[in-house]
Amino acid sequence: DVKVTQSSRYLVKRTGEKVFLECVQDMDHENMFWYRQDPGLGLRLIYFSYDVKMKEKGDIPEGYSVSREKKERFSLILESASTNQTSMYLCASSLQGHYNSPLHFGNGTRLTVT
Amino acid sequence: AQSVTQLDSQVPVFEEAPVELRCNYSSSVSVYLFWYVQYPNQGLQLLLKYLSGSTLVKGINGFEAEFNKSQTSFHLRKPSVHISDTAEYFCAVRGDSGYSTLTFGKGTMLLVSP
């Protein structure tokens, strides 16, 4: 079974802090994704990556950046956290070249910015 | 570009009753369609998917969905629900190009009571 692990389940940070959310997958998937989930808004794509050192903006990239130095790890960075970034963050991975392959999700990181 | 509309934000139902969760999509290209389920405090997991072929798709836990191209719908059904089906359900659509990403609906919370 594919395992997508997000390093923190809950995180509380202060406004203006730099925040790192880490995600690791163990199935050699090329594609990795970061979503945020908010009540009534569903999942919205922040950034994704199809290969090491490669990144693409999703629908809501403002205020975020990402890093993919190794195939198995995809980090989401909040350069200066703000209260409107309080949310549930979900990481996912999938096989490349199989554009109908399902996403495998981690259990999420609930971030609170105070 | 594609979009997904889930018409109901919440669906309350009694145990052993049938249920239908509605999903409509729009896209200018051929699509792949998915239903994901999110149990409390967990990430999303794939319930079923439509890629091509038979328009009736069967998934895990007794769920099925029917693809209707003329009505651009992909409604999810179960003939008899259990308490354990209480969860949030997300419909998602993906275009058939190699680097198309998944677009999610806003989710439908299924509340099963005894």
Side-chain angles (χ1 to χ4, degrees), chain A residues 53-95:
Chain A
K53 295 192 185 296
M54 178 271 183
K55 60 186 178 184
E56 293 285 345
K57 291 180 180 179
D59 299 318
I60 52 163
E62 296 79 18
Y64 303 94
S65 62
V66 289
S67 172
R68 192 154 181 213
E69 296 297 317
K70 294 184 177 182
K71 191 176 185 179
E72 67 270 20
R73 185 180 297 271
F74 193 36
S75 303
L76 180 69
I77 304 157
L78 286 66
E79 294 291 342
S80 177
S82 63
T83 54
N84 63 13
Q85 292 178 310
T86 291
S87 185
M88 171 69 89
Y89 290 88
L90 293 168
C91 176
S93 71
S94 71
L95 284 170

Side-chain angles (χ1 to χ4, degrees), chain B residues 81-99:
Chain B
V81 295
H82 301 289
I83 297 284
S84 59
D85 292 323
T86 293
E88 190 152 26
Y89 293 79
F90 292 92
C91 183
V93 62
R94 182 174 190 173
D96 65 354
S97 64
Y99 290 100

